[in-house]
Amino acid sequence: MPEGTARSLPLRQDALNGIATIAAGYAIISCADAAVKWALPEVGIAVAMIWRGVFGMIAIALLSRGQGLRPRRLPLLATRSVLHCAVTVTFYLAWARGVSLADSYAVNAVAPLAMTMLAVPLLGERVGWRRITSTAIGFAGVLVMLQPGGELWRWEAGVLLGGVCLLAVTRIWTRVLAATDTPQAIAFALLFLHVPMGVALLPVFPSPGPAWPGFGIAFALAFLGLANGCAHFLFARAFAIAPVAVLAPWEYSILIWGLALGFAIWGEVPGWTTLAGAAVVVGAGLYNIHRERVRRQQERAAATGVAASDRRRAEGPQAPSTAAVNRPRGPQGQA
């Protein structure tokens, strides 16, 4: 997007455009997840990663017109991409083992809470007692989802939870990389690393089907890559035109898509423990977003007050106003 485009729009219009853009991105990436979940029994995890990487790179290159793809902080970008590939493996493994989309998205809702706590050691941010308390409540919701006897009481959910914690780390590093690298460079590097990582994992996760999948599976895999590229591009555009605090709650919209797509394609219906735990996690996440918004407003107000005070001190004592000088006086010279 050309510089100045966001500033030329009213703030409310920025927010509405950003919400529409990021909501479309989450809808697209949810459909891509459904496509790969459908194709995994035929191609396996490693092959799905390769297809996602190849067609995702094509989508990013076309949408960005080949501009802004050059990495700047290559070591951190590569490390972040490798970790995100590990996240992909955990989700693909869970889906291949029968974990539903809605269940995996419910566990994925933990990522914002994990980011809140990891931002303290990784970014040096301060987290107040309110956000610490709400985060602890959110993790209690995780225990509700993973309680013994519940639908998610299985080892795949533990692997998925570990992947979500890695996902939180990669998102924090994305914030660090945003200071030097473009969003399309970050996304392109991620999708590029999917190809060699997928090739390296072929001996571990060989394809259970033929070397070249049928038309339907190939179409689903191509859609997977192209949709991921488009979604990442939409995410970058949304965060370029609207505040993070406005967009962050829409991450939870994938829960709705997971419920709808899982039921429509596989007849999946999450258990009550998953839904109840997810409600607690989402509620805690939304409260953290609210507290972050309040904290930012307080910081801006304090900074504005300090700047005004410094400006008054620099100007020195103010001269009497014209109205005071010209005020009519009585016979004895009293105002």
Side-chain angles (χ1 to χ4, degrees):
M1 182 181 63
E3 292 185 3
T5 301
R7 291 189 295 270
S8 65
L9 295 173
L11 180 59
R12 179 172 175 80
Q13 190 63 39
D14 284 349
L16 292 175
N17 288 345
I19 288 171
T21 302
I22 204 164
Y26 283 126
I28 291 172
I29 208 164
S30 300
C31 293
D33 289 344
V36 72
K37 188 179 187 301
W38 180 72
L40 277 171
E42 299 292 331
V43 298
I45 295 171
V47 172
M49 290 181 65
I50 295 171
W51 280 73
R52 180 189 182 190
V54 170
F55 282 92
M57 284 190 293
I58 292 173
I60 291 290
L62 291 176
L63 290 171
S64 65
R65 300 176 183 176
Q67 298 179 354
L69 301 179
R70 183 179 179 181
R72 297 187 180 276
R73 300 182 66 178
L74 187 57
L76 182 59
L77 194 59
T79 305
R80 182 246 180 208
S81 299
V82 170
L83 281 185
H84 209 297
C85 287
V87 175
T88 300
V89 172
T90 62
F91 273 83
Y92 285 9
L93 179 62
W95 291 335
R97 297 283 302 177
V99 177
S100 70
L101 278 181
D103 286 347
S104 63
Y105 288 165
V107 177
N108 184 71
V110 178
L113 301 180
M115 284 182 65
T116 299
M117 302 311 298
L118 289 173
V120 176
L122 295 180
L123 297 179
E125 292 187 0
R126 291 181 297 176
V127 178
W129 68 269
R130 293 181 181 86
R131 284 197 289 166
I132 291 176
T133 303
S134 66
T135 301
I137 294 173
F139 282 115
V142 177
L143 298 180
V144 174
M145 287 191 288
L146 304 182
Q147 65 174 298
E151 188 172 325
L152 279 175
W153 182 247
R154 48 194 299 180
W155 67 266
E156 295 90 350
V159 172
L160 194 58
L161 186 60
V164 170
C165 292
L166 286 181
L167 178 63
V169 175
T170 64
R171 288 182 178 178
I172 290 175
W173 283 352
T174 301
R175 290 167 58 180
V176 176
L177 286 166
T180 55
D181 290 77
T182 63
Q184 57 264 38
I186 297 172
F188 189 86
L190 164 65
L191 295 166
F192 172 82
L193 259 294
H194 270 66
V195 178
M197 289 290 289
V199 172
L201 289 173
L202 274 173
V204 183
F205 302 108
S207 176
W212 185 259
F215 175 78
I217 298 297
F219 179 82
L221 292 173
F223 172 77
L224 160 71
L226 293 173
N228 269 271
C230 292
H232 282 288
F233 189 84
L234 289 173
F235 295 152
R237 179 174 176 81
F239 284 108
I241 63 177
V244 175
V246 173
L247 303 178
W250 290 89
E251 179 175 355
Y252 297 117
S253 66
I254 62 172
L255 280 168
I256 300 174
W257 285 107
L259 285 168
L261 292 170
F263 181 77
I265 300 173
W266 297 281
E268 298 170 343
V269 179
W272 73 267
T273 54
T274 301
L275 295 176
V280 174
V281 172
V282 171
L286 291 175
Y287 180 78
N288 280 357
I289 293 169
H290 165 70
R291 287 303 309 170
E292 177 67 14
R293 185 181 305 171
V294 170
R295 187 176 70 87
R296 297 292 184 188
Q297 290 174 346
Q298 291 173 344
E299 289 178 351
R300 286 195 296 268
T304 302
V306 170
S309 177
D310 291 343
R311 186 168 57 251
R312 286 194 297 269
R313 283 197 298 268
E315 291 174 352
Q318 294 183 354
S321 65
T322 304
V325 172
N326 297 331
R327 185 181 302 167
R329 297 179 179 273
Q332 287 77 30
Q334 295 179 348

